[in-house]
């Protein structure tokens, strides 16, 4: 029987984990995953739940969408105008409690200026999405269901909301809900 003996230099070779660690360190920041990719799996599962006709909670922001909240009273005019501008407005969720949730492009919150009839929220807030097949109460439902990758365009929405003036203005309600005094 032959016993294999290794020279001492070979016995001190780094492990696979040590090699990987060294390569990661050498790659620097390019090796790190993008910040908005950290919760990609959770977001994908949430969207699949909606598609499978289950209600789900989804964190706003990242690369998906943010939400503009308006009162539902008087919003029919805004919806009609946005339908014309978009060739069918959407996506918009109606909450029977009296609110509309307009899903807008990511990054809108950073650019959103004060609006008398609307509030824009992004991360870290969470929105409950109704199942895709819910188009009437009970509970929140899709007043205008999502179509493909279309979101509500922000600039036309701002203008339409100034003309339509949907009530109630959501500022006090949202500030009370979030525990802030604006």
């Amino acid at each position: 029987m032959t016993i294999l003996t290794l020279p001492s230099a070979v016995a001190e070779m780094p492990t696979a984990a040590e090699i990987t660690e060294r390569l990661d360190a050498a790659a620097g920041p390019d090796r790190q995953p993008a910040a908005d990719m950290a919760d990609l799996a959770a977001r994908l599962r949430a969207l699949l739940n909606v598609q499978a006709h289950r209600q789900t909670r989804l964190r706003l922001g990242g690369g998906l969408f943010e939400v503009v909240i308006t009162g539902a009273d008087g919003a029919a005019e805004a919806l009609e105008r946005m339908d014309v501008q978009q060739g069918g407005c959407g996506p918009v969720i109606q909450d029977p409690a009296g609110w509309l949730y307009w899903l807008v492009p990511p990054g809108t919150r950073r650019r959103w200026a004060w609006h008398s009839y609307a509030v824009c929220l992004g991360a870290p807030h969470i929105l409950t999405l109704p199942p895709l097949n819910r188009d009437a109460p009970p509970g929140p439902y899709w007043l205008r269901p999502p179509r493909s990758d279309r979101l509500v365009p922000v600039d036309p929405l701002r203008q339409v909301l100034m003309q339509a003036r949907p009530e109630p203005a959501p500022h006090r309600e949202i500030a009370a809900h979030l525990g802030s005094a604006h």
Side-chain angles (χ1 to χ4, degrees):
M1 168 158 107
T2 308
I3 297 178
L4 182 61
T5 57
L6 298 174
S8 62
V10 174
E12 295 175 13
M13 288 183 64
T15 65
E18 291 170 332
I19 292 171
T20 302
E21 187 176 313
R22 288 180 192 168
L23 289 171
D24 286 348
D30 292 338
R31 174 72 172 120
Q32 301 301 316
D36 64 349
M37 297 298 282
D39 60 351
L40 179 61
R43 289 172 183 262
L44 186 56
R45 278 192 295 275
L47 292 174
L48 290 173
N49 278 337
V50 170
Q51 188 176 17
H53 305 297
R54 291 187 293 265
Q55 180 173 299
T56 191
R57 293 170 45 94
L58 187 64
R59 191 172 137 273
L60 296 172
L64 295 177
F65 55 82
E66 294 175 348
V67 64
V68 169
I69 304 170
T70 66
D73 187 23
E77 177 185 347
L79 283 162
E80 288 174 17
R81 289 183 183 182
M82 291 305 294
D83 280 340
V84 169
Q85 279 209 336
Q86 269 192 293
C89 178
V92 180
I93 298 169
Q94 180 155 5
D95 184 337
W99 305 109
L100 292 184
Y101 303 97
W102 308 74
L103 304 188
V104 296
T108 298
R109 174 67 188 108
R110 284 188 318 251
R111 299 184 319 268
W112 189 261
W114 173 261
H115 193 289
S116 299
Y117 300 96
V119 171
C120 184
L121 296 177
H125 302 290
I126 294 173
L127 179 66
T128 300
L129 299 176
L132 283 178
N133 63 345
R134 185 177 297 158
D135 58 4
Y141 61 95
W142 292 101
L143 185 59
R144 297 293 192 271
R147 296 178 5 175
S148 183
D149 61 351
R150 179 185 300 187
L151 294 169
V152 178
V154 178
D155 293 332
L157 177 62
R158 284 186 68 83
Q159 294 168 3
V160 164
L161 293 175
M162 282 307 288
Q163 294 168 354
R165 300 179 179 189
E167 292 286 342
H171 304 92
R172 284 193 187 129
E173 288 285 332
I174 290 178
H177 180 72
L178 298 175
S180 59
H182 289 246

